[in-house]
Amino acid sequence: MDIYGQSPAEVREERPDGRQVRKVGVAESAVSATGQTLRTSGVGSCLAIGLCDAEREIAGLGHPMLPRFADHASPERGKFVDTTIDDLLDDLAEAGARPATVDAVLVGGAQMFDFSFSDGDRESTRSVGPRNVETAEEHLRDRGVDLRAERTGGSVGRSVKLDSATGELTVRTASERTTEVL
Amino acid sequence: MKLDVESLRTFSSLARSGTERAADSLSVMTDIPTNVEVTKLDLATTDDVTEEFEQHDYVSIQIRCEAGLEGVVLLTFERAVAADVVEHLIPESMDATADGMARTSLEELGNVMVGGFVDGWADYLGTAIEFTTPTYVETENPVPRPDADALVSEDHILVFRNQLRMDDTNEQFLLYMFPTRRSLARIRDAADTGGERFPIEKFATFEQMITDGAHQASADLTSMTGLDTGVEVSRLSFVPIDEVPLIVDDDHRIGVVMEFTGPLSGYLAILFDEQSANDVVRALMPSLGEGDAVDAATRQPAIQEIGNIMTSGFIDGWANSLETTIDMSPPQYADDYGPAILDPLASRLARQQEHAFLIDTIMHTPDADFTCEIYALPDENELQNVLTDLSPAQY
């Protein structure tokens, strides 16, 4: 729907200060070239993927749930680690980032619980969290993106804030009550 | 009325895209960045809806949709949230506290948001959707009540209950849609994929089973702790799988999760806020005084014990109703952000399904100081099998 002759996305784009903090939900991603803080909360076995071009002050944050797009019938690319990385890299390039200077930060991929109660097949006996992390590391390598830092694994949930201007990523945990800047 | 799961998916997708358009409309009109958090399709009775409105100090904008999508839309805010929104809508030079001005600005907002909401439905149905002039409604005069033509069985309706949140203030509000039975049937028929259609009474029977389980779990909690809890909410919903973690807020929760297996398998979480968890521990351990600190080592076994008992109360009744056995894994302790506790459960189901049937139950003491939430996520295909097998005598 157009409002006042423009799409909401166009209006928002013209109003860079109107959205200082932008929340990224599960299976969603966002890119900012206007100094916004991107945040996502309560990351358990899911993964928060931050991609930053600090030189050009452009960054993106995604929050996928599962490792690989090709292993599932879902059409939603934002649900998967590999397609989230691909789409974020495309969106960053479109926003003016230079691929050679983009680096990555990974947060999450915890093994929160042991669901071995009923698992029979090999695929599901391995927790989704560690598989999300492995897939991201591998896919970033394939795409030639440096992994600047990661806070992954363990059994704690994490919340993430990414300053798109500096590439500084803040990780908080609830159960350990820690805050760390990467 | 009969419905198949594929039509529930269609309803859910249309509600999601409609709510996103409504949120965009609000963001543009008010400069308040707004996100869609959860787009649920609830099976509810009209009394459930009325009670929810009676329990909150809500103000709503009501709009009636006609033609392609018939029904009533309510844009509903807690009164304090509405006041914040009005401040953004009215220029500084004008008096935002003037009642008439506030109402008119909210009505205009309702108009723009509902315009966004119905756009996707109109595209899907290939027809225009008209809507009436918005009206301002307060909870007590009168409590919004769905029309009789929204009934999909003797006493149930399907409600789109869409939850939105404003980024800057972190305040939440709701966009309800009560579609008519005729509209739902039209969209169902347009989406027809030949899947098995279930009489809505079967869903209602399943929902009653859940409510009975919630009351039993609440009774068990009360008898173990002496905390006088009652069930506030107990409902069956259909929700996109990636929205499941967002049904709880970002706050810290303490509780247990477990897996259940049998003809119906899935995952269950019993969660307390930190204060309520400590209340449970003190009640179970009389040596602890009211002001005594509760340490993690004391808390974990107490919460696992109450979790075990409440799970039995919640799920044993299902097994009896379905004349089967449902096994439960030992409860695993959870102490983390609410969404981080639920995301592993949703991710497990997301490997096979795009949406989830969600059972959510909220119980609290009369003063609401103590709260416990129960979330259950049954496997979608197995739930369909259970519905298929429900005999007419059971509904």
Side-chain angles (χ1 to χ4, degrees):
Chain A
M1 176 186 169
D2 281 359
I3 296 169
Y4 310 131
Q6 291 170 293
S7 74
E10 285 169 340
V11 175
R12 201 177 290 149
E13 200 56 40
E14 286 174 10
R15 208 185 48 206
D17 296 329
R19 201 174 171 91
Q20 291 299 338
V21 179
R22 187 156 164 192
K23 191 172 178 185
V24 177
V26 181
E28 292 179 352
S29 61
V31 165
S32 175
T34 55
Q36 294 167 316
T37 296
L38 306 173
R39 72 177 177 95
T40 197
S41 53
V43 183
S45 63
C46 292
L47 198 60
I49 302 172
L51 294 181
C52 317
D53 179 346
E55 268 180 33
R56 284 165 189 75
E57 303 186 359
I58 302 171
L61 183 68
H63 185 156
M65 304 175 88
L66 294 169
R68 290 189 188 278
F69 181 73
D71 293 343
H72 298 269
S74 171
E76 284 190 50
R77 295 170 62 83
K79 262 187 204 162
F80 302 97
V81 168
D82 55 352
T83 37
T84 294
I85 291 172
D86 290 342
D87 293 350
L88 274 175
L89 287 171
D90 287 349
D91 292 345
L92 283 167
E94 201 175 307
R98 205 159 63 89
T101 53
V102 170
D103 61 18
V105 182
L106 300 178
V107 177
Q111 180 157 2
M112 302 292 290
F113 308 110
D114 174 16
F115 287 123
S116 54
F117 184 55
S118 65
D119 282 333
D121 62 302
R122 191 172 160 279
E123 195 259 353
S124 57
T125 51
R126 291 198 54 232
S127 173
V128 70
R131 285 192 290 121
N132 281 336
V133 177
E134 278 171 24
T135 304
E137 290 170 344
E138 202 179 305
H139 203 66
L140 289 168
R141 245 189 336 265
D142 289 348
R143 296 293 312 257
V145 179
D146 279 344
L147 181 55
R148 169 159 55 97
E150 64 178 310
R151 292 295 177 270
T152 54
S155 57
V156 294
R158 299 166 170 103
S159 282
V160 169
K161 267 196 320 192
L162 174 60
D163 182 333
S164 66
T166 62
E168 202 173 82
L169 190 140
T170 307
V171 184
R172 279 192 307 128
T173 60
S175 54
E176 295 172 346
R177 298 174 197 275
T178 59
T179 301
E180 193 179 6
V181 179
L182 303 175
Chain B
M1 182 176 185
K2 290 185 172 182
L3 282 176
D4 61 295
V5 173
E6 191 55 41
S7 55
L8 297 179
R9 292 193 190 105
T10 303
F11 296 152
S12 178
S13 300
L14 289 169
R16 172 79 202 188
S17 62
T19 310
E20 282 171 352
R21 291 188 197 204
D24 275 340
S25 304
L26 181 138
S27 301
V28 169
M29 185 171 170
T30 61
D31 257 5
I32 306 174
T34 304
N35 293 297
V36 179
E37 292 214 314
V38 182
T39 49
K40 283 166 70 190
L41 177 57
D42 287 348
L43 180 68
T45 63
T46 47
D47 285 345
D48 292 338
V49 174
T50 305
E51 272 171 33
E52 180 171 358
F53 276 83
E54 282 171 349
Q55 283 167 0
H56 292 87
D57 186 16
Y58 279 157
V59 298
S60 300
I61 303 302
Q62 179 171 312
I63 294 179
R64 188 175 294 278
C65 296
E66 289 159 356
L69 176 67
E70 299 161 337
V72 173
V73 178
L74 286 172
L75 182 63
T76 298
F77 304 89
E78 292 280 0
R79 189 180 298 274
V81 177
D84 286 349
V85 172
V86 165
E87 272 191 26
H88 282 80
L89 289 170
I90 297 178
E92 277 176 25
S93 56
M94 300 174 90
D95 181 6
T97 59
D99 255 12
M101 180 67 74
R103 289 177 187 200
T104 306
S105 60
L106 279 178
E107 285 169 357
E108 176 54 20
L109 177 68
N111 209 28
V112 171
M113 287 190 71
V114 172
F117 181 72
V118 302
D119 259 5
W121 301 79
D123 290 347
Y124 182 79
L125 292 164
T127 178
I129 295 170
E130 293 161 15
F131 48 93
T132 58
T133 311
T135 50
Y136 177 88
V137 186
E138 296 215 4
T139 286
E140 53 293 358
N141 185 28
V143 173
R145 193 168 181 84
D147 295 337
D149 57 9
L151 287 170
V152 289
S153 72
E154 196 177 325
D155 52 3
H156 281 84
I157 58 171
L158 287 176
V159 189
F160 294 105
R161 190 176 186 280
N162 306 308
Q163 186 179 311
L164 300 98
R165 191 177 294 275
M166 294 178 277
D167 262 356
D168 294 354
T169 57
N170 210 26
E171 289 171 321
Q172 188 199 92
F173 63 99
L174 293 157
L175 195 155
Y176 291 93
M177 164 89 200
F178 306 107
T180 64
R181 182 173 55 253
R182 194 167 55 174
S183 259
L184 288 168
R186 189 181 299 136
I187 298 162
R188 174 200 64 192
D189 294 344
D192 191 16
T193 53
E196 182 178 1
R197 288 183 180 174
F198 302 102
I200 214 83
E201 287 79 2
K202 288 203 177 196
F203 290 101
T205 299
F206 189 79
E207 195 241 356
Q208 186 57 50
M209 197 176 84
I210 294 161
T211 303
D212 293 346
H215 283 283
Q216 187 56 52
S218 172
D220 292 344
L221 177 61
T222 297
S223 72
M224 285 290 290
T225 62
L227 295 157
D228 177 23
T229 61
V231 176
E232 182 202 344
V233 173
S234 168
R235 65 192 153 204
L236 175 66
S237 308
F238 195 68
V239 60
I241 193 81
D242 49 296
E243 293 178 8
V244 167
L246 301 176
I247 55 177
V248 289
D249 60 35
D250 294 349
D251 291 346
H252 194 173
R253 296 290 200 288
I254 290 161
V256 293
V257 302
M258 66 216 58
E259 190 177 2
F260 53 92
T261 56
L264 186 60
S265 60
Y267 303 94
L268 181 78
I270 299 178
L271 304 178
F272 304 91
D273 60 69
E274 200 166 2
Q275 182 60 47
S276 297
N278 289 345
D279 288 347
V280 168
V281 176
R282 288 194 190 95
L284 292 176
M285 308 194 70
S287 58
L288 286 172
E290 199 167 306
D292 290 348
V294 176
D295 62 42
T298 314
R299 193 155 57 189
Q300 180 163 343
I303 293 296
Q304 278 177 300
E305 184 187 349
I306 197 76
N308 219 359
I309 289 162
M310 290 178 70
T311 306
S312 296
F314 193 65
I315 289 201
D316 281 355
W318 302 9
N320 290 339
S321 299
L322 301 172
E323 298 171 348
T324 185
T325 307
I326 297 178
D327 294 324
M328 282 164 288
S329 69
Q332 297 185 59
Y333 186 60
D335 174 352
D336 220 302
Y337 297 116
I341 295 171
L342 294 187
D343 94 29
L345 317 190
S347 295
R348 304 264 306 173
L349 290 178
R351 296 177 305 183
Q352 296 98 29
Q353 58 191 70
E354 294 282 302
H355 290 81
F357 285 103
L358 167 72
I359 293 152
D360 72 298
T361 292
I362 299 172
M363 50 193 72
H364 56 59
T365 50
D367 57 12
D369 279 353
F370 174 91
T371 303
C372 172
E373 300 149 282
I374 303 180
Y375 300 100
L377 291 162
D379 179 276
E380 183 183 291
N381 287 327
E382 290 173 1
L383 180 56
Q384 288 190 71
N385 294 338
V386 163
L387 293 175
T388 304
D389 293 343
L390 275 180
S391 66
Q394 289 172 281
Y395 60 90

